[in-house]
Amino acid sequence: SWLESDYVAVACSVQDGLQALGYSSRQQRGAVKLWFDFCSKVQPSIRKTAVWAATVIYAFTRLEKEKIINQQELAGRYGVASSTISSRFRLLCRSLKLVAYDGRYSTKKPKN
């Protein structure tokens, strides 16, 4: 279960955003799991849910290495600063030790 209602709001926004971008329900679940694990570990304070939604979507598209959306595009979509997405992305990566095609969240396997 989620620790904060704001975390749920971000998860819903992530799911909606990825669905709009054409990601499968399995991929959406992977992204929501990534967000859940981050929240469980770091318990971030949420001032703008849009910042975190954009950050998780950016991180997930980077993990999947498919249809990567740049930070500027997401910043425009969500009405946030791309520099904020960048700093939150670094925190997310460090906290969860994310790697490309991360087996905990990604639906893809590395191509050899």
Side-chain angles (χ1 to χ4, degrees):
S1 65
W2 296 90
L3 299 172
E4 303 272 343
S5 61
D6 284 343
Y7 298 168
V8 176
V10 171
C12 291
S13 187
V14 165
Q15 199 164 2
D16 291 346
L18 287 173
Q19 184 174 19
L21 292 168
Y23 283 86
S24 71
S25 58
R26 184 169 163 235
Q27 289 171 310
Q28 293 166 38
R29 284 191 304 274
V32 169
K33 181 181 183 329
L34 183 154
W35 175 240
F36 181 84
D37 289 354
F38 177 74
C39 291
S40 299
K41 184 173 186 164
V42 176
Q43 298 174 2
S45 71
I46 307 292
R47 288 208 324 260
K48 286 180 81 175
T49 57
V51 167
W52 283 107
T55 300
V56 174
I57 289 169
Y58 179 71
F60 188 75
T61 63
R62 294 278 307 260
L63 287 180
E64 291 284 272
K65 297 248 187 195
E66 164 190 301
K67 296 187 272 193
I68 294 175
I69 300 172
N70 67 41
Q71 292 174 359
Q72 289 75 23
E73 187 180 339
L74 281 167
R77 268 183 203 221
Y78 285 87
V80 300
S82 61
S83 59
T84 307
I85 294 173
S86 180
S87 67
R88 299 296 188 281
F89 173 68
R90 287 192 302 274
L91 175 62
L92 197 68
C93 289
R94 272 196 317 271
S95 300
L96 295 177
K97 296 179 175 45
L98 296 177
V99 296
Y101 304 111
D102 197 309
R104 296 171 292 175
Y105 314 111
S106 181
T107 63
K108 309 278 185 203
K109 299 281 185 241
K111 295 175 180 94
N112 293 338

